[in-house]
Amino acid sequence: MAIRTILTQDDPALNKVCHPVTRFDDKLADLLDDLKETLTQANGMGLAAPQVGILRRAAIVLLEDESMLEMVNPEILDQRGEQPGWEGCLSLPGMWGNVMRPDWVKIRAQDRNGQWFEMEGTDMTARCFCHEISHLDGHMYTELTERLYTAEELDEILAQEGEQANHPKRERRGRRRR
Ligand SMILES: [Zn+2]
């Protein structure tokens, strides 16, 4: 396994539509292992292959129980509701935006062996599914928010809203990037 370099916003790889994964081989396994290691080191909540310069439809999402879900060729099957929330991205360090996402999302994806599975996610997991799958289509969350805030600005806003006192867990998880 190896830690790969996470590309940042100006890199053209982040605006490309990624190709489906067709070979479920050792190279894919290496990529998924590297994504996991890179995500752990970056202390993020999700990471997509194009963020490390690989234009293939593969991504990792950190689930509520802190386990990592591998998604190969993921697609959104259904979604409901909406939730506003703060979102950051490992490819845009230090910046945050308020992004409306569905609060329930059902996906299907393949695992590293090519086996299809379905999974439902709410709250932060639903947000992560949307964020990572968007990366595979070359989209960044910044397209969905009116303005970006620095970490300092966000701290001020959250302090004013009293969210830090009321929702420490949500705040902690919400501030991790994808
Ligand atoms: Zn991201």
Side-chain angles (χ1 to χ4, degrees), residues 40-52:
T40 300
Q41 201 237 7
N43 193 30
M45 291 187 65
L47 188 62
Q51 290 181 277
V52 298

Side-chain angles (χ1 to χ4, degrees), residues 1 21 23-37 39-40 45-49 56-63 65-75 107-119 125 128-129 132-133 136:
M1 296 212 289
V21 172
R23 286 184 194 160
F24 295 83
D25 55 9
D26 288 348
K27 206 173 160 191
L28 175 66
D30 285 347
L31 171 64
L32 292 167
D33 288 342
D34 287 357
L35 286 174
K36 283 179 173 176
E37 194 174 354
L39 180 61
T40 300
M45 291 187 65
L47 188 62
R56 290 284 168 183
R57 303 188 77 83
I60 303 288
V61 163
L62 191 70
L63 299 176
D65 65 1
E66 303 279 318
S67 65
M68 287 189 185
L69 177 71
E70 300 176 0
M71 307 190 298
V72 179
N73 298 324
E75 34 188 274
I107 61 145
R108 76 166 196 152
Q110 286 167 285
D111 65 17
R112 62 170 64 197
N113 301 311
Q115 201 70 41
W116 285 97
F117 63 91
E118 293 184 1
M119 184 175 275
T125 304
C128 284
F129 284 160
E132 298 314 325
I133 292 172
L136 304 181

Side-chain angles (χ1 to χ4, degrees), residues 79-83 101-105 121-124 126-127:
Q79 60 183 60
R80 280 182 221 139
E82 55 181 17
Q83 52 163 327
R101 297 285 192 186
D103 63 12
W104 178 88
V105 173
T122 59
D123 194 40
M124 205 61 77
R127 180 173 295 280

